[in-house]
Each structure stands twice: as structure tokens, then as C-alpha cells.
Amino acid sequence: MKVKRIQAIEDYIHTQGTVSLDDLCDYFGVSKNTIRRDINKIAEKNTIKKVYGGVVSLQENVNELLPFENRDITNHYEKEKIGELAARYIEDNDLIYVDSGTTTRYLVDHIPSTKNVTIITNNLDVINLAADMENIDIFVIGTTFKRKTKSFVGIENWSFFQKYNVTKAFMAATAFSASHGVMNSDILEYEVKKRMIEKAEKKILMVDHTKTDKSALLTYSSLADFDVLITSKELPAHYDQYCRENQIELVYNTDN
């Protein structure tokens, strides 16, 4: 836990750029002495600089460079909150698609045990988390396991998607913007995402704020195709207008 906390603190500093010790104590729920010890440990790597009352990141755009296996640590607390907010849209007897990614997995933790839900997914973490939940049935799609993204890809028969009335799709993204849409970087995952957007009755995008106005290799959907956008912090003002114009419900964590 200590190693994970230190990594989470470092990633948070890089995300914020500059942050005070008091903010770190509040965000991570630890004492100032603990934060100081953790900061000293991180400072040994020369990735941050201690300043009076706080710390400054010495890296630029670090979140864009993180490999997939480290993204689950980055913005962990914000992704947890996104999962909690997204779970509020789940109703009894829903048939939902849960996309691959490190944010969507947190949805499962917050599905009420009183609601019976069927999940279609290619996300290994989601499968493992839901396996012991008696109120959840699981359909796994994809014939080939992609270790790098912990997802299953390769759909031999796309008619699979026509059999089921997917009530809601909880989608992830590598990046998104009003102009370039919702993006990812994997051609094999792109096909699954695109099909689910076309199939689901309600589309819900789960993305932390660091992915705003960034770019990735492939656009699998217009942002206007989504019914709900759930993110970790208030977005730039032009997104409020965009969401109003396109009837998108914009939801963000008000605890920040």
C-alpha cells in the first residue's frame, strides 16, 4: 500500500503541476509527516521539486507517456469517483456493455447488490471483479487476449451484437475533444467500441479530466453521440455550451 500510495502521489503531482502539502494531506487522507516522507522519497528520482509549502512537477505531459499497466494508479481516486457516479445510471435488469480501460473497471465496484445486471465486456478486470457478484451475469466477447490493455479483442461474428438489446454502454477513451470526437489508440479495440456505440440505447462516457482536448490515433465516435459525459473535474467552459447544444448530460466530481 505504501508503494502504491507513493506512486499515486507522484502521479497526482504531475497531473496538477503544482500542489501544496496541505492539499496532498487532504486528498490522500494522511498526515503531513507521512506526506513529507513520501515527498522526500519521490524527490530522490528528480521528477519533482520541493518548494515552500508544496511541490512542483518537473515533467511535462507525463500522463500521456504512462504505459497502460501504470494508468490504473494514475488518478486512482478520481477514477473511483467516476465509477461511483456512473453506477447511478444502472437500473435493475439492465443489459450493459462495460468497455476496456482503467476507468470503466471502477463501475463494477459500485453496482448495488440489489440490482440484477447483465454485463457484456471484453475487460479482464471487469470480468474478475464481477465473477463473485451473484447479482451480475457476464457475457465475455473477444477471442484473443491483448495483454498490454488487459482486454479481449477479435470478434469473429459481428452478428453477436444484433442479438442483444444493450440498454447502456459505459465507454472509455484515450482522449476526447469537441472537434475530434472520442478517441483511442488501438485498431482492434476500435472496432468493438464503434459497434457498441451503434448498438447501445444510451451511451455514457467515463473519462478523467486529463484526457480533455488531447488527441489519439483513431476516432471511434463523435462526442455528440453520447448521452452522458462523466469526468473528474469541471471542464473548460466551451464544453458546457457544447453539451447543452447536443443534449449531453455533463456530470463531474464536485468533491475536488
Side-chain angles (χ1 to χ4, degrees), residues 36-150:
R36 286 196 178 101
R37 286 195 297 268
D38 290 348
I39 290 301
N40 288 336
K41 190 69 175 178
I42 298 168
E44 294 175 0
K45 300 164 61 178
N46 295 319
T47 59
I48 64 169
K49 178 182 179 181
K50 293 189 290 183
V51 295
Y52 182 76
V55 287
V56 176
S57 170
L58 297 179
Q59 297 187 15
E60 296 181 1
N61 300 321
V62 67
N63 195 49
E64 299 176 2
L65 303 177
L66 286 173
F68 184 90
E69 56 269 22
N70 291 338
R71 292 181 206 159
D72 192 41
I73 299 173
T74 306
N75 303 326
H76 167 86
Y77 299 92
E78 295 180 351
K79 292 177 181 181
E80 181 79 36
K81 187 63 178 181
I82 291 171
E84 179 184 344
L85 293 170
R88 297 177 185 178
Y89 291 87
I90 294 179
E91 300 172 291
D92 197 28
N93 297 315
D94 263 343
L95 170 57
I96 67 174
Y97 172 70
V98 183
D99 198 15
S100 59
T102 59
T103 302
T104 47
R105 66 171 298 281
Y106 290 100
L107 171 73
V108 180
D109 293 327
H110 298 282
I111 296 177
S113 60
T114 55
K115 294 182 179 179
N116 295 309
V117 178
T118 299
I119 292 177
I120 298 174
T121 189
N122 64 338
N123 188 324
L124 180 62
D125 286 334
V126 169
I127 296 166
N128 289 333
L129 287 168
D132 294 326
M133 300 174 70
E134 294 182 357
N135 61 311
I136 297 178
D137 292 325
I138 310 169
F139 289 165
V140 179
I141 59 174
T143 58
T144 304
F145 180 60
K146 189 172 174 51
R147 184 171 287 102
K148 183 178 179 182
T149 56
K150 298 173 72 174

Side-chain angles (χ1 to χ4, degrees), residues 150-217:
K150 298 173 72 174
S151 64
F152 292 92
V153 295
I155 310 296
E156 294 181 352
N157 185 3
W158 288 106
S159 64
F160 170 89
F161 291 90
Q162 304 306 317
K163 297 179 182 179
Y164 304 104
N165 296 317
V166 179
T167 54
K168 301 177 181 77
F170 294 87
M171 306 300 297
T174 305
F176 76 97
S177 71
S179 57
H180 292 99
V182 183
M183 295 162 273
N184 83 304
S185 300
D186 189 288
I187 185 64
L188 297 176
E189 291 187 353
Y190 164 86
E191 291 292 341
V192 179
K193 294 174 188 288
K194 188 172 179 61
R195 297 273 181 161
M196 274 303 170
I197 285 295
E198 295 170 352
K199 181 63 179 174
E201 296 175 16
K202 190 167 190 172
K203 297 93 170 172
I204 300 169
L205 182 61
M206 300 171 61
V207 284
D208 69 77
H209 72 282
T210 63
K211 297 177 181 179
T212 311
D213 289 330
K214 302 289 177 62
S215 294
L217 182 63

